[in-house]
Amino acid sequence: MNQDFAQNKNISIPSYFYISGFSGIPHTRYYYIFLFLVYIITVLGNSCLMLVIIIDRNLHTPKYIAVFNLSLTDICESTAVIPQLLDTFLFGNQFIPYGLCLYNMFSVYVSISTQSLTLAVLSFDRFIAICLPLRYHMIVTHRSMLGIIGATWAVALLMVTVATIFISRLSFCRFIVIINSFYCDHGPIYYSACSDNFPNSVIGSLYPIMIIGLPVFFIIFSYTCIAVTLFRITTPQDRQRATKTCTAHLILVAVFYVPITFTYALSSFINTNTRIINLSLTSTLPPMLNPIIYTFKTEEFMVSVKRLLKRSMIFPSKK
């Protein structure tokens, strides 16, 4: 009898995943309207920021290659999360086919990973600019920045591809698997498997360290060195000028890392619905806020925007 059970327990793939998400949360339709507005603002804001960087030659610098990449990942992340979320819950399509679920997981994690790594790249740019100003143009070139950005995408794609491959090798004992999240989340998927999920648990433990822990450590190290350098600057004007160049990036770092760190740190003390709402906000609000912060907190970018607006008013397009 045990032998027959073992023979029948082959690798089985569910036809659908059921995303439970916001099922137990009241008045969620208002929240979906809010997320829809967030998505529109995110796409428009980041598209405008990218357009300004492309048009204005003064922004064709290595730093703004990283800023352009951050805006691109913001759009990718919001597009991976919000439209699928609205389709799942607003229109009642909570049953997601197996293949589409894996694609959703892959796209969300690649976007989040690249966004996190890009924030670390921007801290590297500020570190070199303030701590090694005389060597900045030798170290941070267009070619080196493009290589670093390419490396961040390669690392993100490699890690998430490996995670997706191991998820695809899991066996599920049910025809429909329930996922307690608002998207096809890696953890809830492998928790639901009935086969050995040890490799996936290892990946689930290493991923936050590689994508959140190491970038945060590097950012803290960079700004510690920057703080020491600023302390040694004797002229208050120079110190203030150097500090202004870091303000926008520090706000971006706080907006991205602080909410997600607190949510995961306190996940065992908050109920499932609160955790899901918090995670959905940490996945959707930072991409919306990033272009707003960069526009109003970066002086050189504001100058470029004003210059482009003035040019469009003086030389309006002919119909």
Side-chain angles (χ1 to χ4, degrees):
M1 184 175 179
N2 291 335
Q3 186 177 0
D4 292 337
F5 177 78
Q7 289 175 352
N8 291 329
K9 195 176 180 181
N10 296 322
I11 294 178
S12 59
I13 296 174
S15 297
Y16 295 93
F17 287 101
Y18 180 82
I19 310 296
S20 63
F22 304 100
S23 300
I25 303 174
H27 309 297
T28 50
R29 286 186 178 272
Y30 300 106
Y31 186 58
Y32 303 145
I33 295 172
F34 167 73
L35 290 179
F36 176 74
L37 293 175
V38 167
Y39 181 65
I40 296 298
I41 295 170
T42 299
V43 173
L44 290 177
N46 283 286
S47 297
C48 290
L49 190 147
M50 293 165 67
L51 185 62
V52 171
I53 293 173
I54 292 173
I55 294 174
D56 195 341
R57 292 183 177 274
N58 294 312
L59 299 181
H60 292 182
T61 62
K63 172 187 173 182
Y64 281 96
I65 292 176
V67 174
F68 184 93
N69 186 66
L70 183 64
S71 289
L72 178 62
T73 58
D74 286 341
I75 293 176
C76 291
E77 181 184 354
S78 294
T79 303
V81 173
I82 297 179
Q84 182 64 51
L85 187 151
L86 294 177
D87 180 63
T88 300
F89 299 106
L90 189 61
F91 300 105
N93 297 322
Q94 292 178 251
F95 291 94
I96 298 182
Y98 178 82
L100 182 60
C101 189
L102 292 188
Y103 173 76
N104 178 245
M105 183 191 76
F106 179 84
S107 57
V108 170
Y109 275 93
V110 167
S111 302
I112 293 175
S113 303
T114 313
Q115 186 179 17
S116 178
L117 294 172
T118 303
L119 288 172
V121 172
L122 283 168
S123 72
F124 167 76
D125 176 84
R126 293 300 85 201
F127 166 72
I128 301 298
I130 295 174
C131 298
L132 302 170
L134 298 179
R135 300 182 62 188
Y136 177 80
H137 293 291
M138 295 175 59
I139 299 173
V140 185
T141 63
H142 288 79
R143 185 173 182 177
S144 64
M145 184 57 76
L146 287 171
I148 294 171
I149 293 299
T152 63
W153 278 95
V155 169
L157 287 169
L158 178 62
M159 289 192 62
V160 181
T161 299
V162 170
T164 306
I165 290 172
F166 276 101
I167 285 289
S168 67
R169 298 179 64 182
L170 289 175
S171 179
F172 298 86
C173 300
R174 296 180 181 180
F175 181 73
I176 298 174
V177 177
I178 299 175
I179 300 176
N180 293 319
S181 185
F182 63 95
Y183 71 103
C184 291
D185 200 351
H186 178 264
I189 291 178
Y190 79 76
Y191 286 147
S192 304
C194 57
S195 60
D196 179 25
N197 59 18
F198 176 74
N200 292 280
S201 65
V202 172
I203 292 172
S205 299
L206 288 177
Y207 179 84
I209 296 173
M210 296 292 293
I211 300 302
I212 303 295
L214 290 180
V216 167
F217 175 79
F218 180 77
I219 291 169
I220 292 173
F221 170 78
S222 298
Y223 276 98
T224 301
C225 296
I226 289 171
V228 172
T229 303
L230 291 177
F231 182 76
R232 293 175 179 173
I233 296 176
T234 56
T235 308
Q237 292 80 5
D238 293 339
R239 189 184 298 118
Q240 185 178 7
R241 192 182 303 111
T243 303
K244 280 185 176 180
T245 64
C246 301
T247 303
H249 180 251
L250 283 173
I251 297 174
L252 297 182
V253 168
V255 166
F256 181 81
Y257 289 111
V258 172
I260 197 170
T261 301
F262 272 98
T263 300
Y264 279 109
L266 301 176
S267 59
S268 58
F269 301 100
I270 58 179
N271 60 54
T272 303
N273 288 342
T274 304
R275 179 180 176 275
I276 290 173
I277 289 291
N278 287 346
L279 285 177
S280 65
L281 289 174
T282 57
S283 301
T284 55
L285 289 184
M288 180 191 72
L289 295 174
N290 286 349
I292 298 173
I293 293 168
Y294 241 100
T295 300
F296 292 102
K297 285 293 182 180
T298 307
E299 186 176 349
E300 59 184 337
F301 191 82
M302 278 294 293
V303 171
S304 294
V305 171
K306 291 176 182 178
R307 183 167 50 246
L308 291 175
L309 289 175
K310 187 181 295 185
R311 188 186 305 170
S312 64
M313 292 173 64
I314 296 174
F315 302 104
S317 58
K318 297 182 180 179
K319 295 183 179 180

